[in-house]
Amino acid sequence: MRAALGSTRPLVVRTALVADPGDLLTRLPAAAPHAWIRHGEGLVAWGEAARVSVPPGPGRFDWARDWLSSVFAGAHVDDEAHAPGSGPVAFGSFTFDPASPGSVLVVPRTVLARRDGRAWLTTIGEGRLDEITAPRDPGRISYGDGSLTAPEWEHAVAQAAHRIRSGRLEKAVLARDLTAVAEHPIDVRVLLSRLAGRFPECYTFSCAGLVGATPELLVRRTGETVESLVLAGTTPRGTGPADDAARGAALFASAKDRREHACAIDSVRRTLAPLCAELKIPEEPELLVLPNVQHLASPVTGHLSAGLSVLDVVAALHPTAAVGGTPTRAALQVIRELEGMDRAGYAGPVGWIDSRGDGEWGIALRCAQIEGAHARLFAGCGIMGDSDPAAELAEAQAKFRVMQYALEG
């Protein structure tokens, strides 16, 4: 373990209140930017004071918590903001499958944040404001099949639905990937700016090359208060206001989608109830309308038991039924057998945590893994016993459009 790159000395952290910086994303340098933005508020960061690859395995969240404790312990912190996200912060991305490598935690050298009308700048050691260069458009984009072709994926959906009808499980979430190659190296800042502008209701994120705009808040911890937003049940947007309203009404009335949503809610209830002294879950979902799709959504709030950090709640919640299935073990087995790919960070937890244990973590949806001029896009759908493979493929295509827009503009 290491407290800082090439050093075991305690971190020296300074958080100072600053004037409103305007668009946070325009302050990012090109090299390895980190971000967590919604409605223009949040955190952007760059540089590395510490970084670690989290070993795969069932105890990876405990390992990550212990590593963070060792890095933050003994830090010399001068914090003028005293707010969630001030002082030392770590960004993280965990793979969907605990057995898969690729989970990472990064403590940036510089963090610029805005929240509730205040802004602050956190630096560690020689944290600096790097030179800002103009973002470069990736140019022409060409796409190719990922692990499965569209017909192969439809066949996998049909197999999953058959297993559900046979009584082996109630729901499985199947994902597919799509490859993209750009004319020029992909500047993550271009993607972040497009995503934040088009999908302000979502959480636009960047961590270790995983970039996206997720509508699903896995958990937010602010002191002893925890919040989560459960999404399950989806329909594409309509061709006009009347068609849009009709699609939303059909989604709300759909027995298949309501069952799918109920599975996700039950999963969160079972997980959070033992961790919370009080838990509030609405009796009926609401419609979350995004530019490309509509979701059934249920906001959940709770009063967390003392001593638990946001990462403890992440560990308990992942994987939710919204991205895995019900029951969890049977659904994960179906995913491993039928998807034909490693999800990597897709549908895994992504977000940030500060030294107080506060933080925000989403489920990495509507995202892509970026490496040079290459991108790997992901989309997934909840499969029930009466799922239609062609309809599920169309839903996945609608979800791909988020990152296709980010790449193409």
Side-chain angles (χ1 to χ4, degrees):
M1 295 183 188
R2 54 192 173 167
L5 294 177
S7 172
T8 58
R9 292 176 296 177
L11 301 179
V12 178
V13 185
R14 164 72 170 154
T15 295
L17 294 171
V18 296
D20 191 329
D23 185 351
L24 292 172
L25 294 173
T26 64
R27 304 292 180 146
L28 282 171
H34 290 78
W36 181 268
I37 298 292
R38 182 173 184 264
H39 286 310
E41 293 200 337
L43 297 80
V44 296
W46 56 95
E48 293 182 0
R51 180 189 179 106
V52 72
S53 295
V54 179
R60 60 185 179 153
F61 290 106
D62 291 337
W63 193 97
R65 183 192 59 223
D66 292 343
W67 183 82
L68 284 171
S69 296
S70 73
V71 172
F72 290 153
H76 302 297
V77 181
D78 180 7
D79 185 356
E80 292 182 356
H82 299 288
S86 67
V89 169
F91 282 75
S93 168
F94 287 84
T95 57
F96 173 80
D97 192 326
S100 297
S103 301
V104 64
L105 288 169
V106 178
V107 179
R109 283 198 177 277
T110 309
V111 179
L112 182 62
R114 179 172 55 227
R115 180 188 178 105
D116 298 331
R118 296 197 304 163
W120 59 86
L121 177 69
T122 298
T123 55
I124 295 180
E126 298 179 356
R128 63 185 188 273
L129 297 178
D130 292 12
E131 180 183 358
I132 307 299
T133 57
R136 184 183 187 185
D137 188 275
R140 294 187 301 272
I141 308 293
S142 59
Y143 296 98
D145 286 325
S147 304
L148 298 178
T149 65
E152 288 171 338
W153 193 76
E154 286 183 296
H155 180 64
V157 170
Q159 288 182 293
H162 175 74
R163 297 186 190 190
I164 292 167
R165 290 194 300 271
S166 71
R168 292 179 55 183
L169 69 164
E170 189 172 357
K171 172 191 173 182
V173 179
L174 290 187
R176 64 183 303 244
D177 59 346
L178 187 69
T179 63
V181 180
E183 182 181 3
H184 308 296
I186 298 170
D187 190 328
V188 167
R189 298 173 299 170
V190 172
L191 309 188
L192 292 173
S193 179
R194 289 172 177 170
L195 290 170
R198 179 79 177 272
F199 304 97
E201 288 287 341
C202 294
Y203 298 85
T204 297
F205 64 87
S206 172
C207 180
L210 187 67
V211 181
T214 179
E216 190 145 0
L217 178 68
L218 182 62
V219 61
R220 174 189 297 118
R221 176 193 185 266
T222 308
E224 294 180 346
T225 300
V226 289
E227 303 166 71
S228 182
L229 180 63
V230 180
L231 303 182
T234 306
T235 189
R237 291 293 302 271
T239 56
D243 185 32
D244 222 23
R247 286 173 181 263
L251 175 65
F252 202 81
S254 165
K256 178 261 184 190
D257 290 291
R258 292 296 290 264
R259 286 200 308 275
E260 182 183 342
H261 193 81
C263 287
I265 284 291
D266 288 343
S267 170
V268 170
R269 179 186 289 109
R270 288 194 302 270
T271 302
L272 284 184
L275 305 180
C276 295
E278 181 183 359
L279 191 62
K280 295 181 179 179
I281 300 176
E283 294 184 2
E284 291 282 319
E286 57 192 46
L287 281 177
L288 175 63
V289 180
L290 301 175
N292 60 322
V293 293
Q294 301 182 64
H295 293 291
L296 293 179
S298 291
V300 176
T301 59
H303 187 77
L304 195 63
S305 300
L308 296 177
S309 78
V310 69
L311 203 56
D312 293 315
V313 185
V314 169
L317 282 172
H318 179 74
T320 68
V323 293
T326 305
T328 301
R329 182 173 298 181
L332 294 181
Q333 185 61 36
V334 167
I335 289 170
R336 294 183 180 116
E337 291 176 4
L338 299 181
E339 273 190 358
M341 69 175 189
D342 183 348
R343 291 185 177 187
Y346 170 74
V350 62
W352 62 269
I353 178 174
D354 65 20
S355 59
R356 291 171 289 268
D358 287 334
E360 293 178 295
W361 290 75
I363 300 175
L365 306 174
R366 318 295 195 273
C367 64
Q369 187 69 43
I370 308 298
E371 186 173 354
H374 296 263
R376 185 182 177 210
L377 287 63
F378 301 90
C381 301
I383 310 303
M384 305 295 287
D386 54 354
S387 288
D388 173 59
E392 300 297 345
L393 180 64
E395 180 180 321
Q397 295 290 71
K399 292 174 178 176
F400 275 137
R401 291 192 194 108
V402 173
M403 289 310 299
Q404 289 175 317
Y405 166 77
L407 289 166
E408 299 168 14

